[in-house]
Amino acid sequence: MGSPETADIVRRLQADDPAALEEAYRLFGQRCNAIAHSVLHDDHQAADAVQDAFLSLWQHRHGLIVRSAGLSPWLFVVTRNAALGILRKQTTRENREQLTGVMEASSEMDPALAIVGQAQASELRDALARLPEEQQNVLELAYFRFLTLAQIAVRTNTPLGTVKRRAQRGLQQLHSLMGKQSL
Amino acid sequence: MMTHPYEDIEAYALGSLDQQQAQRVLEHADGCPTCAVLMADAMAAVHSMMGSQPERPLPAAGMMQRMLRPQLFHSTASAYSRAPGIPLLSWSVAAASLAACFALLFSNAQLRSNAQQVPIALLVHSHFTHHELRGGTGNAKVIQATDGRWLYVVADGLMPRTFYTLSESAGGRSRVVGNFLSTNSGTATAYWEQSPARIDGLVIAPVQNTGKNGTLRWP
């Protein structure tokens, strides 16, 4: 569940202690902001996504996931989802195409660089390269190009169920590879 | 019958579901031990993809203040429900404005909202409990400092533009805490500070007899 400090915050959140939320915000707010900003490229929208994520943490403080995933994985994933929700809500189809085009052009050489730093990008790239090509494609389109699995299914002309299974296996395998590399 | 969204768990963690689907998966996994464990693994996988995140300072423009607005506090009271549309702070401002207009129009001291401005930081840092008031038209929750020093009312479904009185009982004695005015849409928030008291009963009732059953009670 993470460090004793974050475990304590989770315990206090579950005991309905609002000060624990503030502490979580102090510990993780700026990193959540970096994640949201990497998706939205806008300070105010990123701040909105961070706010959504922390509000969601408070609303889900009694849920099982916060306890089993730990604070930072939960917050980072939920922040990213909140940012993607904002992006998808306000981006028209044309804009999205443009945005995807920009993403593709700006990170053609290494999409991982658009999201993480140089050192992690190299590690991530190595791990992705070891996945079967179809799993690699799905993860890249989902994670780096911000497409939904339904959009990936259309774009790759593949049944949605197949895309879901590729995402599932790809992510599991990637986790195991990244875990081994970091040992 | 419960269906486990096994195939959507990784998609959630990757951010590849639309908002409605994402919400459904998160809600389900939060209450399902099996899916919570799968989700925790998927989140850990995405977490490892993210690497060590740099920090990016948040805008100075009161991020903390916005986060700690009454909306958050409302979610404390109504467990898992989020204030719809207008933030509660706006409701509070609207209620206070309407109350002032009403008071001027009718020049009736009894029909003046005496609710105070909500000191958000104080609320967030306090220990509190909340009580659901039931009975007549509408729903209300009264959030109360553990030591009884303050009371905060969040209500909806009330009769629109109606003055209500909040009364409390402590040790067999009743007293009026104050009046507040519901908005056009029947929502209301109000806050009062008072001497510490161990409250054992709360009643919200329309100030004037409207002929409808508008009284809400706890317990």
Side-chain angles (χ1 to χ4, degrees):
Chain A
M1 181 148 97
S3 69
E5 190 181 18
T6 61
D8 179 58
I9 293 175
V10 171
R11 267 195 301 275
R12 284 165 50 211
L13 282 170
Q14 286 171 345
D16 298 339
D17 176 3
L21 183 68
E22 201 175 328
E23 211 170 315
Y25 180 81
R26 278 201 211 96
L27 272 176
F28 299 110
Q30 297 201 359
R31 274 178 279 176
C32 288
N33 193 33
I35 290 164
H37 198 274
S38 72
V39 172
L40 293 161
H41 303 285
D42 178 280
D43 283 342
H44 294 293
Q45 289 182 342
D48 283 345
V50 173
Q51 179 180 330
D52 279 356
F54 278 86
L55 190 58
S56 188
L57 174 62
W58 183 252
Q59 289 168 335
H60 288 271
R61 66 194 183 280
H62 298 300
L64 294 170
I65 309 173
V66 177
R67 207 161 36 203
S68 45
L71 209 47
S72 60
W74 193 96
L75 268 172
F76 293 172
V77 166
V78 170
T79 301
R80 190 168 177 277
N81 269 328
L84 288 168
I86 292 172
L87 184 73
R88 288 179 184 133
K89 198 184 287 180
Q90 66 179 200
T91 311
T92 62
R93 187 189 159 90
E94 288 78 15
N95 288 345
R96 198 176 303 140
E97 298 275 317
Q98 271 179 358
L99 184 70
T100 306
V102 169
M103 283 292 295
E104 283 174 358
S106 66
S107 54
E108 196 67 48
M109 297 301 290
D110 188 350
L113 268 178
I115 309 290
V116 298
Q118 186 92 43
Q120 286 96 33
S122 154
E123 190 185 341
L124 182 52
R125 192 177 47 229
D126 290 349
L128 277 169
R130 292 170 67 182
L131 298 180
E133 197 180 340
E134 63 273 16
Q135 292 177 12
Q136 193 179 326
N137 283 343
V138 169
L139 289 187
E140 284 193 6
L141 290 170
Y143 191 76
F144 298 114
R145 317 285 189 206
F146 309 148
L147 297 186
T148 63
L149 295 193
Q151 288 169 325
I152 295 170
V154 172
R155 188 164 167 159
T156 60
N157 199 20
T158 309
L160 181 58
T162 307
V163 173
K164 284 181 175 181
R165 278 189 293 283
R166 285 175 183 170
Q168 198 171 21
R169 286 176 196 153
L171 192 60
Q172 287 164 358
Q173 216 169 320
L174 190 76
H175 188 206
S176 132
L177 288 169
M178 301 276 290
K180 278 176 194 158
Q181 282 181 8
S182 62
L183 284 175
Chain B
M1 189 179 80
M2 182 169 64
T3 310
H4 298 281
Y6 293 134
E7 285 195 327
D8 287 332
I9 285 174
E10 281 76 12
Y12 174 87
L14 283 165
S16 303
L17 293 178
D18 68 40
Q19 258 182 317
Q20 277 187 331
Q21 288 173 307
Q23 195 57 31
R24 270 202 302 271
V25 171
L26 189 64
E27 296 290 344
H28 171 89
D30 233 354
C32 168
T34 310
C35 291
V37 169
L38 295 174
M39 180 65 89
D41 279 349
M43 284 179 161
V46 171
H47 192 242
S48 70
M49 285 176 84
M50 288 175 174
S52 58
Q53 283 297 318
E55 296 200 337
R56 184 180 176 86
L58 285 155
M63 175 68 194
M64 200 65 184
Q65 290 300 317
R66 286 201 297 151
M67 198 183 83
L68 298 181
R69 66 192 176 186
Q71 190 176 37
L72 167 67
F73 204 69
H74 178 73
S75 71
T76 306
S78 57
Y80 301 111
S81 76
R82 187 169 171 179
I86 311 165
L88 282 177
L89 188 57
S90 307
W91 292 350
S92 163
V93 170
S97 311
L98 280 169
C101 293
F102 241 66
L104 280 172
L105 276 173
F106 294 100
S107 301
N108 182 338
Q110 199 189 10
L111 290 187
R112 188 169 292 147
S113 170
N114 59 356
Q116 301 169 20
Q117 195 169 3
V118 183
I120 300 158
L122 172 73
L123 299 194
V124 167
H125 290 290
S126 299
H127 293 283
F128 53 84
T129 55
H130 57 87
H131 310 295
E132 281 195 46
L133 281 71
R134 299 173 193 278
T137 308
N139 306 292
K141 289 192 170 79
V142 173
I143 300 160
Q144 174 205 349
T146 308
D147 62 6
R149 278 179 195 273
W150 52 259
L151 292 165
Y152 180 53
V153 175
V154 183
D156 59 22
L158 301 178
M159 289 177 280
R161 297 179 62 174
T162 303
F163 270 102
Y164 283 84
T165 297
L166 171 68
S167 307
E168 65 180 17
S169 58
R173 294 207 301 194
S174 293
R175 64 175 283 270
V176 171
V177 177
N179 296 328
F180 62 92
L181 179 65
S182 61
T183 63
N184 285 337
S185 55
T187 61
T189 56
Y191 169 84
W192 296 272
E193 287 174 4
Q194 59 180 17
S195 305
R198 192 177 180 82
I199 299 167
D200 51 38
L202 292 160
V203 176
I204 288 176
V207 171
Q208 291 178 324
N209 186 1
T210 58
K212 293 179 185 171
N213 178 17
T215 303
L216 302 167
R217 294 173 193 280
W218 172 79

